[in-house]
Every structure is written in structure tokens, then in C-alpha cells.
Amino acid sequence: MSLLADRESRLLIDGKLVAGSAGAFTTINPATEDVLGVAANADADDMVRAIDAARRAFDDTDWSTNTALRVRCLRQLQQAMRDHLEELRELTIAEVGAPRMLTSGGQLETPVEDLSFAADTAENYRWSTDLGRATPQGIPTDRRIVREPVGVVGAITPWNFPHQINLAKIGPALAAGNTLVLKPAPDTPWAGAVLGELITGHTDFPPGVINIVTSSDHAVGAVLASDPRVDMVSFTGSTATGRSVMTDAAATIKKVFLELGGKSAFLVLDDADLAGACSMAAFTAAMHAGQGCAITTRLVVPRARYDEAVEAAAATMGSLKPGDPTDKRTVCGPVISARQRDRVQGYLDLAVAEGGRFACGGGRPADRDVGFFIEPTVIAGLTNDARVAREEIFGPVLTVIAHDGDDDAVRIANDSPYGLSGTVFSGDDERAQAVAARLRVGTVNVNGGIWYSADAPFGGYKQSGIGREMGVAGFEEYTELKVIATAVAQ
């Protein structure tokens, strides 16, 4: 089976690969602007059929209670992805514009291996907990707490790390006993649709348990939030769209998981290795063209060494030239689309209007007329009040901000509508830990530590979202709690 050549993907509805009722739409290579092929274009009626199928599979089969079947199916999907890993790698590089080096980690291989965590969790999970005997209102009662699946889950995913986010929802949702409808991003439909091909060809998933609906129309995904037959919506994307999902879901009071935007801060304390820390911040901000919600895009440094910090960040950032994502040496590839490139450029123009300057970068690379590339850019001379320091840009852009000590650094980091992630660098681990404890964020990297792992919950405070993905906490997002109380015969 070829996953890339002359590709025309299909929808997966009720166990069958089918065409979209709205025809097909093209998917573009963001590095070359070439048309790669087409994806099935669903309309609202297709989505309704997918929801119907998921509802029937949950209500009328033993999927929700057959843990062994769920574990087997997830392991089969994992093995199918392993068996087609090199084809999936080429598809990911071409459609996502992901640098080849990243497909060995979070862009492909890591999320495939992380499916084991979902399967293992389901296999070993304590679904029932004895609460013991009590005599509420004088009635002897045995009580237990049980965890059950939520029901039908609607999953809406973005384009920046499609395999990681698709599988981070599919894995735990299905392992917990739910059925699911996946709506992938229009910019990366193949990354979602290919799962349908692997599922139908290599697994025992019953019809309707998982449905995959690609569409160029964002309104098709909105059906998942408004349809009363969907019990939960799991959304990853922008905060603005997350608000819409939450609003639509409110009509039926359905459960909502949201993983949204970020404007994370990289704090360098005055006893840190300044050059090393700033170089790491720059590398991180340029990776995958800055298209990551948890990437630290505000570099907060001691005021007395501000110019030195800007110079160090720019030296690294300026050396990471935008390149061909097929080249294993490339760190910064293209952004996903012309629309996104223009959006990033708009923020760069705004930085100048706000009084900032570019220590490196600032626009499209002169040597690349084709492809959606933006130069890795360091912005200096602005405070945390500037829009480029407060709004999520989603491009390879790092803004350097001065602080006046630990308290001020924490104040700047927390002065944001977001609270997704953060980094602290210090020569004193205890001092760094004390600062990390004061950050209002969901994950913190201290002196280069890595928080991304299948067993570690990921999510944010404030407008960065609601709930956690990954880890046992992420598995339990897809469950409901029930208390069963049984009177004891006298």
C-alpha cells in the first residue's frame, strides 16, 4: 500500500472508506507549494452519518465494556503504523512541512510508540474502587466508585503536530471505552485520513467505533460541538476557536476538553549561563518554524545583560536558516500555508510599528521565492505590553524582554492571558525550582528538563485550556465517575 504516491484519501464512516459528499479538496506541500493530491471533502450530512455510526457503536455493541478488544485494536493500529513508518514519515514531511529530524520524535515516532501507554493504562486500570461500608441516614450501605466511558467523543485537531495530537486523543478515548469521530485540520487531512486506511486494512476495530471525517469547511467540525448525540468534545487549537467550541457545546452541557494557545516565557536568572540559555531559547523558538503551542516565545533576561542576551539569541537564531524539510539537518522548515506566513509577517511589521527592532530575521528569506518560509527572527527593544509579546504568533519569532530580578521575571511571565508552559534557567537548582513553583502554567522546564512524555499530563492554566491530555489524567478526561450504593440486607 502506498501512502503518498498519487494519493486520494477517503473518509472513514461506519467501518467503510467512502468519498466525501462535497467532492475533494487539495493538500499542498508548504515547502514547494506543489499540490500533493486530494482529500475527501465531507459536508455536514457526512458528519451526521459519522456521529450516527459512533452512537450506534457505543450504545449497541460491547465496545465500552470489552477491554481486551480495545487493547488489541489499539496495539494493532500501533503495529500497522510501525510497519508503514517510512511511508508515514514521507507523508508527514510533505504535507506538514515537518523537518525530517522531528519525525524521529514528536512529529511521528514518539506518538506512535505512546499508543502503548493508552493500551497499557486500559489493561491495568482500576475501573472500580471500594469506598467501604457506611450508614448514611442510618442505612447500612456498601459503596463503590466506578469509572465509565463518557460515550461518543468528537475530536477536533490542528495541523502543527497532527500525528501527536490525533493519537493523543484517539488512544485514551478509545482505550477508555468511548467511540470517536475525528475531524482533522483542513491543512493536514492526510495525516488523519491515513489512520482510516490502516484501521480498515490492519485492525479489528468494529464498524463505527472510530470515524474520520476530513473537510475543507470548519463548520463541519462545529457539528461535533452542537450535536446532542456527542457526549464530549476534545479540541486542540487556537483560543479563539476554543471559545466557539465551548459556546456551541454549552447548549447540551457536554463535557469539553480544550488545549489552546500559549505565549510561554523562558526565564533566565542572573546566575545562569546566559549564552547557553539564550541559545537554547532561540533554537526552541525556531524549531518547526515556531509552530508549537508550548514553545517559549518570550525570552526574559536580566536587564543588566540585555544586549548580551539579544546578541546570543540572534547568533543562534540567525544561523538556523529556513530549509528544505526533507534535509535531515533542517531545524526550521516552512510554516503551513501562505495564510499563516502572511499572518506572521503581519506581526513582524507590527513589531516595528510598536518600536521594536530585529536582531536577526524580520521577513521572508531572500533566497527562497517558493514555499511558505519566514526567517527565524529575534525582536528586541519591546516590553511585555507589546502585542507581539502578548499574542500567539505561531511562527519562528522570539521576543526578548528585560527583567529586574526574580520577582519581576515571575511577574512578566505570569502577565499573560495564557498559562501553558515555561522554562527557568539558573545556576542554582533550588532557586530555579522556587521560581518554577510561582509560574501559573501547566508545565515547566527547569535547566533543560523535558516534560513531554506519555505518562506526563499536558495542559494549561487560564486561556490555555481546560483539562489535561496524556498521562493517567488525560486518560481519565475521557471517563465519567459513578457511585453505586447497595443496601446491606439486615
Side-chain angles (χ1 to χ4, degrees), residues 269 271 424-436 446-449:
L269 307 187
D271 62 347
V424 181
F425 261 73
S426 168
D428 181 338
D429 278 347
E430 186 174 341
R431 180 183 179 189
Q433 290 285 352
V435 168
V446 174
N447 286 338

Side-chain angles (χ1 to χ4, degrees), residues 12 14-15 170 174 179-182 199 205-212:
L12 174 61
D14 204 12
I170 288 171
L174 297 180
T179 58
L180 181 138
V181 180
L182 172 67
I199 285 165
F205 277 101
V209 163
I210 178 169
N211 306 270
I212 301 172

Side-chain angles (χ1 to χ4, degrees), residues 315-329:
T316 296
M317 201 86 157
S319 70
L320 300 173
K321 303 299 183 185
D324 179 355
T326 65
D327 187 332
K328 63 183 180 181
R329 298 167 298 180

Side-chain angles (χ1 to χ4, degrees), residues 262-267 296-301 303 306 350 354-356 379-393 398-404 407-418 439 462:
K263 194 68 180 180
S264 302
F266 190 119
L267 306 187
T296 43
T297 54
R298 291 182 293 156
L299 176 57
V300 185
V301 301
R303 188 177 302 278
Y306 183 82
L350 176 63
E354 289 184 307
I379 299 172
L382 295 176
T383 68
N384 199 55
D385 295 327
R387 280 182 59 192
V388 294
R390 303 194 68 78
E391 299 178 12
E392 187 174 44
I393 297 174
L398 182 66
T399 303
V400 188
I401 301 166
H403 73 74
D404 295 306
D407 289 347
D408 193 42
V410 170
R411 177 193 65 78
I412 291 168
N414 289 338
D415 180 18
S416 171
Y418 301 108
L439 299 181
K462 299 186 280 186

Side-chain angles (χ1 to χ4, degrees), residues 444-462:
V444 187
N445 162 339
V446 174
N447 286 338
I450 303 297
W451 48 258
Y452 172 56
S453 177
D455 62 348
F458 172 67
Y461 293 20
K462 299 186 280 186

